């Protein structure tokens, strides 16, 4: 699969630079950076890790997303004169002017970022990203990196759950731009819901920037803007073959509508002429893409009859209508009724194309209602999701954090009164262990200097959240989970397109055992420490209880 074009990469890099300048951060990053600089510590080598503490939505997994933009952000990280002038105006007047000269020369040439690949299935407490470099610089990166990863990973994971609920065959359309938290939230949602498993978006800008397939037809306002067939113009349409003169489609439509009412025992007086005019006008404009919303009035008494009348005209002229959209009421029941009418038309009028018409459902769809579709009889081929997808109504934030784990080669640990908020110290390697069936069953955190685990050899480890007892496991396969992605100012791995990352998501999810993919009450996935890392944690905790001045750890509540 081809990498993004140079033009597409340029657009995305410019987008990141404009949306995420170095000033898009918290004030305390600058106050800390100045204090480090003032103390002469700003160049000390430091390591931070980014991770989240709980799997989102009560599920068993998350997806890692946002890395692409993080790398572009690092590559373009520089303060302009205007940035520095503004910082000079908001920092205390006594701030040493030389600090601002220091900021003006900063970049990420001394920063190294290692992370799991974008689109990988990940789990709570596993360090997804390691950022190493000069202390003041890697501190300044914190908020921006969290901003880029938190929502992207959350909405991507939400999309994957919708995909699991919908099943593999039903098409999914993201249509949440109007409900998103601002323009950037809407654009990020369109991008990462596609990566998470949605097939299409209504967001035109997302199609332009990321190559996501875009779709859309009409709203109810288009339908209700028409009142009579006199508003249809032009009133003729040429056959698809182009080998005959345009025909009067209004007369054709009236004839088909009369036959439909007779076939279905419908009352012609209840058929809305304005709706028919809207459908006909739209079909004349887009004879190859006819898919109207049919619930502006009554689906059974008007919408489906008007659709079929126009669709029959299109079929007679050699075009293939696409289908209909349902946006209110009992979607399952209505879809069954509409499909019955399509089949009657196919059989009675000998038009096989009616057997392949699609039915799209779009009515405030949630993960729960998506799952319910699979339990009820329905004929819905595609589902459009907006509010509950892009706003992540079940959980508003993933809660990623960015924590210091090493300074000057010495491990640092936050020891909290809340054990869940304690961190795992030291620079690490992360390995994923697989069973004989190819399913991952444990992520192992080791000290970076340790030898990696080997397939077929038993190892002892300490699962997080357990009673501090050791477990013995034997992996059938071992994978190193993190890769170097950025160093010396350069991105070191190819940047993937949304399509390529989407494929990575599906491949990663395929390996996951069904018990970890369950939407309700999934089994917990095991994350464990190696013996050496567990020993380091124990030593630091013991030291914290005996001496608060120990320089080899950081005590923080």
């Amino acid at each position: 699969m081809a990498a993004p074009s140079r033009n597409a990469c340029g657009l995305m890099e410019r987008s990141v630079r404009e949306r995420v300048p170095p000033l898009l951060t918290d004030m305390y990053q600058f106050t800390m950076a100045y204090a480090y600089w003032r103390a002469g510590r700003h160049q000390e080598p430091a390591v931070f890790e980014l991770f989240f503490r709980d799997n989102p939505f009560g599920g068993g997994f998350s997806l890692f997303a946002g890395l692409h933009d993080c790398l572009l952000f690092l590559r373009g990280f520089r303060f302009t004169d205007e940035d520095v002038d503004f910082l000079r105006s908001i920092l205390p007047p006594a701030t040493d002017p030389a600090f601002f000269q220091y900021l003006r020369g900063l970049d990420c040439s001394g920063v190294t970022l290692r992370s799991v690949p974008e689109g990988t299935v990940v789990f709570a407490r596993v360090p997804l990203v390691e950022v190493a470099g000069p202390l003041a610089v890697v501190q300044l990166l914190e908020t921006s990196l969290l901003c880029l990863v938190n929502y992207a990973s959350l909405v991507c994971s939400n999309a994957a759950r919708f995909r699991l609920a919908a099943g593999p065959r039903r098409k999914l359309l993201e249509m949440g731009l109007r409900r998103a938290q601002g323009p950037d939230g809407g654009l990020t949602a369109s991008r990462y819901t596609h990566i998470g498993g949605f097939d299409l978006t209504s967001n035109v800008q997302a199609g332009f920037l990321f190559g996501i397939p875009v779709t859309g037809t009409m709203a109810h306002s288009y339908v209700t803007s028409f009142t009579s067939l006199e508003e249809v113009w032009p009133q003729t349409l040429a056959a698809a073959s182009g080998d005959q003169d345009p025909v009067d489609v209004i007369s054709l439509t009236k004839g088909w509508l009369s036959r439909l009412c007779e076939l279905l025992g419908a009352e012609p007086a209840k058929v809305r002429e304005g709706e028919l005019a809207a459908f006909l006008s739209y079909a004349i404009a887009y004879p190859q893409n006819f898919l109207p919303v049919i619930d502006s009035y009554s689906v059974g008494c008007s919408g489906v009859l008007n659709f079929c009348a126009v669709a029959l005209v299109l079929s007679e002229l050699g075009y293939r209508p696409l289908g209909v959209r349902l946006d209110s009421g009992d979607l399952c029941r209505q879809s069954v009724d509409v499909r019955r009418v399509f089949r009657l038309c196919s059989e009675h009028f000998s038009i096989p194309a009616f057997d392949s018409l699609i039915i799209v459902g779009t009515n405030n769809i949630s993960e729960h209602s998506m799952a319910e579709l699979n339990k009820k009889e329905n004929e819905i081929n595609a589902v459009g999701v907006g509010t509950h997808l892009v706003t992540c109504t079940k959980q508003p934030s993933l809660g990623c954090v960015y924590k210091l784990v090493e300074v000057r080669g010495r491990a640092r640990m936050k020891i909290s009164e809340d054990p869940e908020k304690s961190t795992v110290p030291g620079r690490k390697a992360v390995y994923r262990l697989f069973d004989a069936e190819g399913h991952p069953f444990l992520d192992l955190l080791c000290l970076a200097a340790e030898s990696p685990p080997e397939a077929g050899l038993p190892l002892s480890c300490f699962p997080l959240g357990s009673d501090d007892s050791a477990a013995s496991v034997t992996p059938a396969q071992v994978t190193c989970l993190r890769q170097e992605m950025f160093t010396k100012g350069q991105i070191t791995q190819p940047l993937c397109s949304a399509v390529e990352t989407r494929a990575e998501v599906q491949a990663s999810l395929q390996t996951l055992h069904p018990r970890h993919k369950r939407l309700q009450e999934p089994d917990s996935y095991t994350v464990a420490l190696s013996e050496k890392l567990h020993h380091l944690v124990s030593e630091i905790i013991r030291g914290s209880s005996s001496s608060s001045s120990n320089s080899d750890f950081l005590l923080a509540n």
Side-chain angles (χ1 to χ4, degrees):
M1 201 169 288
S5 69
R6 182 175 303 216
N7 184 52
C9 287
L11 284 171
M12 285 186 277
E13 185 146 19
R14 187 178 70 188
S15 172
V16 170
R17 191 166 57 247
E18 292 172 352
R19 291 182 298 117
V20 198
L23 294 188
L24 189 72
T25 188
D26 294 307
M27 180 64 176
Y28 75 174
Q29 308 295 5
F30 290 107
T31 59
M32 285 188 288
Y34 177 68
Y36 285 137
W37 179 87
R38 195 75 178 81
R41 300 190 58 208
H42 56 292
Q43 295 287 8
E44 290 181 2
V47 181
F48 284 79
E49 288 179 343
L50 185 152
F51 61 94
F52 59 92
R53 294 187 173 104
D54 295 293
N55 295 319
F57 311 112
F61 69 92
S62 182
L63 291 169
F64 174 56
L67 174 65
H68 184 287
D69 284 357
C70 288
L71 297 175
L72 294 179
F73 167 71
L74 294 181
R75 188 162 71 184
F77 183 88
R78 284 173 187 81
F79 291 97
T80 66
D81 288 336
E82 188 178 14
D83 294 336
V84 173
D85 287 344
F86 179 73
L87 289 170
R88 188 180 283 110
S89 74
I90 62 172
L91 284 168
T95 303
D96 190 329
F99 174 66
F100 300 108
Q101 289 299 115
Y102 161 73
L103 289 180
R104 189 64 184 89
L106 272 189
D107 60 22
C108 286
S109 57
V111 173
T112 296
L113 183 145
R114 297 167 63 239
S115 82
V116 303
E118 185 148 30
T120 303
V121 169
V122 291
F123 305 97
R125 303 300 300 275
V126 174
L128 310 177
V129 178
E130 176 197 90
V131 185
L135 178 56
V137 178
V138 291
Q139 181 71 69
L140 284 170
L141 300 176
E142 174 183 9
T143 301
S144 302
L145 294 179
L146 287 172
C147 182
L148 288 169
V149 169
N150 256 313
Y151 179 62
S153 297
L154 183 73
V155 79
C156 189
S157 304
N158 200 26
R161 290 176 63 86
F162 271 91
R163 168 49 70 196
L164 289 170
R169 290 185 298 275
R170 190 171 277 137
K171 290 281 187 181
L172 293 178
L173 159 66
E174 177 273 317
M175 46 188 294
L177 179 59
R178 65 187 60 193
R179 305 291 168 79
Q181 289 95 337
D184 189 57
L187 195 60
T188 302
S190 297
R191 179 181 181 181
Y192 289 105
T193 55
H194 179 65
I195 287 172
F198 273 60
D199 302 284
L200 306 155
T201 183
S202 66
N203 187 337
V204 178
Q205 179 73 353
F208 173 66
L209 284 176
F210 312 123
I212 303 170
V214 180
T215 190
T217 55
M218 68 171 68
H220 296 100
S221 57
Y222 180 85
V223 178
T224 58
S225 74
F226 288 82
T227 56
S228 76
L229 290 169
E230 293 177 358
E231 296 167 308
V232 177
W233 189 262
Q235 298 185 345
T236 60
L237 180 64
S241 62
D243 58 4
Q244 63 186 75
D245 293 333
V247 298
D248 179 0
V249 290
I250 291 194
S251 297
L252 280 178
T253 304
K254 286 180 176 178
W256 279 114
L257 184 59
S258 177
R259 295 169 69 181
L260 280 166
C261 288
E262 183 179 345
L263 173 65
L264 301 172
E267 299 180 44
K270 292 185 177 180
V271 177
R272 302 294 293 252
E273 183 177 332
E275 184 179 54
L276 179 60
F279 291 178
L280 194 50
S281 180
Y282 196 88
I284 292 168
Y286 298 104
Q288 303 280 17
N289 297 278
F290 183 52
L291 194 155
V293 59
I294 63 171
D295 68 328
S296 297
Y297 304 107
S298 167
V299 173
C301 294
S302 182
V304 71
L305 290 162
N306 282 328
F307 167 79
C308 288
V310 176
L312 286 163
V313 170
L314 291 175
S315 298
E316 184 178 344
L317 295 177
Y319 299 100
R320 290 183 67 90
L322 299 181
V324 299
R325 178 164 72 97
L326 299 169
D327 190 52
S328 60
D330 186 337
L331 299 184
C332 291
R333 178 187 58 77
Q334 288 184 104
S335 70
V336 171
D337 293 342
V338 168
R339 183 69 69 195
R340 179 182 61 82
V341 174
F342 290 170
R343 288 176 180 144
L344 279 172
C345 289
S346 174
E347 295 167 7
H348 189 78
F349 301 121
S350 299
I351 302 180
F354 268 64
D355 289 328
S356 59
L357 291 172
I358 67 170
I359 299 174
V360 181
T362 58
N363 182 23
N364 198 33
I365 303 294
S366 65
E367 180 189 303
H368 175 74
S369 57
M370 183 78 79
E372 287 296 307
L373 286 179
N374 295 328
K375 299 177 183 178
K376 297 179 180 178
E377 181 187 7
N378 73 85
E379 292 287 342
I380 296 172
N381 307 103
V383 179
V385 190
T387 304
H388 295 292
L389 176 66
V390 304
T391 65
C392 300
T393 48
K394 288 182 66 177
Q395 180 175 324
S397 173
L398 180 57
C400 285
V401 294
Y402 183 89
K403 297 298 181 183
L404 182 70
V405 296
E406 184 181 285
V407 176
R408 299 190 311 276
R410 293 181 173 181
R412 291 293 185 265
M413 180 178 181
K414 176 182 177 181
I415 305 173
S416 176
E417 293 177 358
D418 179 356
E420 288 295 313
K421 290 200 169 185
S422 295
T423 60
V424 179
R427 196 164 197 172
K428 305 173 194 67
V430 183
Y431 300 96
R432 180 156 290 174
L433 279 51
F434 295 81
D435 62 22
E437 284 74 46
H439 298 302
F441 69 90
L442 184 144
D443 282 5
L444 183 69
L445 313 186
C446 303
L447 290 171
E450 288 188 64
S451 299
E454 296 183 37
L457 297 182
L459 62 91
S460 181
C461 61
F462 291 80
L464 291 173
S466 68
D467 58 0
D468 209 36
S469 57
S472 180
V473 296
T474 303
Q477 178 187 343
V478 177
T479 298
C480 181
L481 206 53
R482 291 195 310 206
Q483 304 171 11
E484 184 179 281
M485 301 290 184
F486 183 94
T487 191
K488 298 179 181 178
Q490 298 298 318
I491 298 170
T492 56
Q493 297 289 338
L495 291 175
C496 295
S497 67
V499 173
E500 291 169 320
T501 308
R502 173 186 166 87
E504 174 65 30
V505 164
Q506 296 310 311
S508 190
L509 281 170
Q510 276 293 111
T511 67
L512 201 56
H513 196 283
R515 67 174 181 268
H516 296 128
K517 287 193 285 190
R518 286 199 301 261
L519 299 181
Q520 304 297 326
E521 299 181 352
D523 285 1
S524 296
Y525 185 86
T526 303
V527 176
L529 308 183
S530 69
E531 284 189 301
K532 289 184 178 179
L533 183 52
H534 180 263
H535 177 72
L536 173 64
V537 172
S538 300
E539 285 292 307
I540 291 177
I541 291 175
R542 278 197 297 270
S544 74
S545 63
S546 61
S547 172
S548 61
S549 62
N550 189 324
S551 62
D552 286 338
F553 64 85
L554 175 67
L555 178 63
N557 291 320

